[in-house]
Amino acid sequence: MDKLIYLDHNATTPTDPRVLEEMLPYFNVSYYNPSSLYKSARDCRKAVEQARDKVASLLGAEPCEIAFTAGGTEANNFAIKGIAFANKSRKNHIITSKIEHHAVLVPCIWLESQGFEVTYLGVDKYGVVDLNELKNSITDHTVLITVMHANNEIGTIQPIKEIAELAHSHNIYFHTDAVQTVGKLPTQVQELGVGLLSLSGHKFYGPKGVGALYIKKGTLLDPLIHGGHHERDRRAGTENVPGIVGLGKACEIAQQEMGEEDKIKELRDRLWDGIKSKIPEVVLNGHPEQRLASTLSICVKYVEGESMLMDLDAHGICASSGSACAAGTAEPSHVLTAIGIPADLAHSSLRISLGKHNTKEEIEYVLKVFPQIIERLRALSPFWKK
Ligand SMILES: *Cc1c(COP(=O)(O)O)cnc(C)c1O
């Protein structure tokens, strides 16, 4: 194939051309500061507020419950540190899981250095949190539970509603990192029962560097970024107008086109069926059903993840081993470790994540070259016995 085959959509997605088109005028035509008072600037303000309406509509929220951020990482930091510090004098215990994205785990670890206590829940072999362990971890000091909606590496979807009910019944705030599900699965905040929810534009065909935090009405949290009165005093700084407009458009498109997921799942399953039948000793990571349609995480025994990536790259195929953030480190993925995969096997992991532009022809091409790649690499391995 002369065109690149992009199979790394959990890392980022291409910006939809309709999103880009909507953004462009806000760079050099309608470039005004939305806080300025003249008519042209008020039009920019209007564009920001229309985008907020679109984000709110996708989540079934009210526009005043949406705060724009510079992406998913900031939204997670804002939610977790914001709740922690706003309630510091009352409660200091946070519950999360061992398989969160680093944008949740690292703020939690940092909060431990600031006098907070954090419980990191284990998961079963599919990556699902244990509700009993969660129940038993709750104390009188628990202020926040933060558990992701779907995992970026293995795709496992958590029982968010059940967790939300538990949190609610104990008067504990509940935040979910929904960066991998917004725009792909229903993420109606009332239906899920969440009090705070993070999303990021570039994971669903919007621009990079812009995201949002849903904050249920009446929730007080300390700002992360201090300065002017932007975003109802919740996030200072001149609004990223083109980014916000693009995020709004991406939400609008997602709301209209969510049906694409069935097609993506069909391609992914075809890929897995083909891999399973052509390559011996491959294991599937994550939940067999309760999993993102996009995600296929596997371990190919006796082959290094990095070697597979390089060979796939040489064939014009973009994939990932573990998460992009952890790539290049020698440590095995914390997610694979948490689901009980031994370190040596975790180093044989490959994450393939599909998107709405992938085609059957691309999948058939991967199924043609991937088994050859594995055969070649295994022939070089001293551990692989014929
Ligand atoms: C990508 C990702 C993030 C980080 O979002 P950015 O917008 O890239 O900062 C957080 N959580 C999950 C689950 C992700 O997949």
Side-chain angles (χ1 to χ4, degrees), residues 10-11 70-74 76 101-104 148 150-152 177-180 199-203 209-211:
N10 288 12
T73 300
E74 186 187 310
N76 285 341
H101 191 277
H102 284 123
V104 165
M148 72 202 311
N151 184 269
N152 47 299
D177 172 349
V179 169
Q180 286 293 341
L199 61 93
S200 171
H202 76 104
K203 299 294 175 81
V210 63

Side-chain angles (χ1 to χ4, degrees), residues 4-241:
L4 270 191
I5 298 180
Y6 185 71
L7 296 173
D8 201 16
H9 291 81
N10 288 12
T12 195
T13 57
T15 305
D16 189 298
R18 293 167 287 180
V19 169
L20 179 63
E21 192 187 349
E22 193 106 340
M23 291 170 69
L24 285 174
Y26 294 96
F27 285 100
N28 61 348
V29 181
S30 235
Y31 54 82
Y32 310 98
N33 188 321
S35 298
S36 297
L37 294 178
Y38 33 87
K39 164 82 170 59
S40 315
R42 295 201 309 271
D43 288 345
C44 287
R45 164 68 52 208
K46 212 177 283 170
V48 168
E49 296 315 316
Q50 277 167 358
R52 199 185 309 277
D53 291 347
K54 290 173 186 174
V55 178
S57 166
L58 181 63
L59 301 182
E62 288 182 32
C64 66
E65 296 176 310
I66 305 298
F68 291 115
T69 66
T73 300
E74 186 187 310
N76 285 341
N77 272 267
F78 183 20
I80 295 166
K81 295 176 188 169
I83 289 293
F85 283 106
N87 297 278
K88 201 172 164 207
S89 57
R90 289 187 318 127
K91 295 174 169 189
N92 75 335
H93 177 230
I94 295 165
I95 301 174
T96 186
S97 86
K98 287 186 178 155
I99 65 162
E100 298 299 306
H101 191 277
H102 284 123
V104 165
L105 281 181
V106 179
C108 285
I109 293 166
W110 179 76
L111 282 173
E112 287 186 89
S113 76
Q114 303 297 306
F116 294 89
E117 273 175 47
V118 182
T119 301
Y120 302 88
L121 299 171
V123 293
D124 66 14
K125 64 175 177 177
Y126 297 133
V128 181
V129 296
D130 182 341
L131 292 175
N132 273 322
E133 190 190 349
L134 172 58
K135 225 178 279 178
N136 294 332
S137 307
I138 294 173
T139 74
D140 292 344
H141 303 290
T142 310
V143 63
L144 173 72
I145 298 173
T146 172
V147 173
M148 72 202 311
H149 194 185
N151 184 269
N152 47 299
E153 287 186 44
I154 57 176
T156 298
I157 299 165
Q158 301 295 344
I160 290 301
K161 267 191 192 179
E162 285 82 350
I163 300 172
E165 272 165 31
L166 256 179
H168 191 70
S169 68
H170 288 84
N171 244 325
I172 298 167
Y173 291 108
F174 180 44
H175 165 252
T176 191
D177 172 349
V179 169
Q180 286 293 341
T181 53
V182 167
K184 301 176 195 165
L185 293 177
T187 47
Q188 302 279 310
V189 286
Q190 312 265 1
E191 181 63 20
L192 291 176
V194 299
L196 300 130
L197 178 146
S198 301
L199 61 93
S200 171
H202 76 104
K203 299 294 175 81
F204 63 108
Y205 309 97
K208 292 172 184 57
V210 63
L213 181 65
Y214 157 77
I215 307 163
K216 190 180 173 157
K217 243 194 296 186
T219 308
L220 289 180
L221 65 174
D222 279 10
L224 187 65
I225 313 278
H226 300 89
H229 294 297
H230 312 85
E231 297 295 295
R232 297 170 164 256
D233 281 328
R234 293 178 299 203
R235 203 273 187 187
T238 301
E239 296 84 348
N240 170 7
V241 182

Side-chain angles (χ1 to χ4, degrees), residues 243-376:
I244 288 169
V245 165
L247 179 65
K249 187 66 182 176
C251 287
E252 183 185 287
I253 294 171
Q255 203 165 359
Q256 291 159 356
E257 299 178 1
M258 227 179 269
E260 302 267 347
E261 292 305 289
D262 292 343
K263 192 197 96 185
I264 294 170
K265 182 168 179 290
E266 211 171 287
L267 289 180
R268 181 205 65 191
D269 290 345
R270 162 75 192 121
L271 183 59
W272 174 229
D273 286 344
I275 289 175
K276 245 188 328 191
S277 69
K278 293 179 179 194
I279 305 172
E281 303 214 43
V282 205
V283 290
L284 176 72
N285 305 319
H287 199 287
E289 282 102 36
Q290 289 294 76
R291 189 163 105 245
L292 288 172
S294 65
T295 310
L296 181 62
S297 168
I298 57 176
C299 287
V300 185
K301 292 185 188 171
Y302 314 110
V303 184
E304 279 288 319
E306 312 278 286
S307 317
M308 287 189 270
L309 285 189
M310 278 193 282
D311 277 16
L312 285 168
D313 189 20
H315 286 86
I317 300 165
C318 310
S320 163
S321 67
S323 74
C325 319
T329 63
E331 290 283 301
S333 139
H334 67 286
V335 177
L336 298 179
T337 304
I339 61 173
I341 295 189
D344 57 334
L345 189 54
H347 282 300
S348 302
S349 70
L350 181 73
R351 181 188 73 183
I352 295 171
S353 49
L354 289 80
K356 63 180 180 182
H357 303 301
N358 289 128
T359 63
K360 232 168 141 175
E361 290 68 41
E362 290 178 327
I363 297 306
E364 296 309 322
Y365 176 73
V366 174
L367 283 175
K368 197 179 77 175
V369 302
F370 189 53
Q372 295 166 4
I373 290 173
I374 298 306
E375 200 169 323
R376 191 187 74 84

